């Protein structure tokens, strides 16, 4: 099985940087995110948009050449599994609470972003 991401491509590095940023923010204790407090009332929209960007960037990185069926399947698998890992990580971070509905918003956003990028 060969999944191709071109390590020298700026598209790939933007995707990796975005994943790193998501993990960095997820690993911050809740009280370190006070600057983010005004957005909590839009929590599910924020989660959806965060992963919409991840789905767009993932397919953008893979789509340097035509996307094979197997690569598409691995991308979808990543967009289903990574949000679960992201939410589970928050279980171990002080004053952070993992939320199943946040994970659902993450998955829906990621898949939406992937499909948008695949077709546009």
């Amino acid at each position: 099985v060969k999944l191709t991401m071109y390590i020298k491509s700026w598209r790939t590095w933007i995707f990796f940087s975005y994943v790193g940023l998501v993990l960095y923010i997820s690993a911050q204790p809740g009280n370190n995110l006070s600057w983010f407090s005004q957005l909590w009332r839009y929590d599910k929209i924020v989660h959806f948009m965060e992963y919409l960007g991840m789905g767009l960037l993932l397919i953008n990185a893979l789509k340097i050449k035509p996307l094979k069926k197997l690569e598409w399947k691995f991308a979808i698998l990543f967009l289903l599994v990574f949000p679960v890992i992201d939410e589970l990580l928050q279980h171990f971070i002080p004053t952070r609470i993992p939320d199943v509905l946040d994970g659902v918003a993450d998955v829906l956003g990621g898949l939406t972003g992937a499909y948008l990028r695949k077709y546009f």
Side-chain angles (χ1 to χ4, degrees):
V1 177
K2 184 179 177 187
L3 184 64
T4 305
M5 283 187 112
Y6 294 95
I7 216 67
K8 292 182 180 180
S9 169
W10 60 271
R11 293 180 186 190
T12 302
W13 287 104
I14 289 174
F15 169 70
F16 286 151
S17 297
Y18 192 83
V19 169
L21 179 65
V22 168
L23 288 173
Y24 174 77
I25 291 172
S26 291
Q28 296 301 305
N31 50 357
N32 286 5
L33 299 174
S34 59
W35 56 272
F36 204 63
S37 64
Q38 297 301 316
L39 294 177
W40 289 126
R41 67 183 104 169
Y42 309 108
D43 182 41
K44 303 307 179 255
I45 295 169
V46 169
H47 278 270
F48 181 88
M49 296 305 292
E50 170 188 15
Y51 276 84
L52 179 89
M54 186 170 294
L56 282 165
L57 292 172
L58 172 59
I59 300 307
N60 197 51
L62 290 172
K63 209 172 171 175
I64 293 169
K65 59 175 187 50
L67 206 56
K68 295 179 180 146
K69 194 173 194 174
L70 187 60
E71 291 170 328
W72 180 249
K73 287 180 182 178
F74 275 114
I76 297 302
L77 181 63
F78 176 84
L79 293 170
L80 292 172
V81 173
F82 188 79
V84 174
I85 294 168
D86 184 24
E87 288 300 317
L88 287 175
L89 170 66
Q90 293 180 34
H91 175 73
F92 301 100
I93 307 300
T95 64
R96 295 297 294 269
I97 301 167
D99 183 359
V100 171
L101 293 178
D102 286 350
V104 170
D106 294 343
V107 168
L108 291 175
L111 295 176
T112 300
Y115 278 99
L116 286 172
R117 180 59 187 103
K118 181 180 181 189
Y119 293 110
F120 298 109

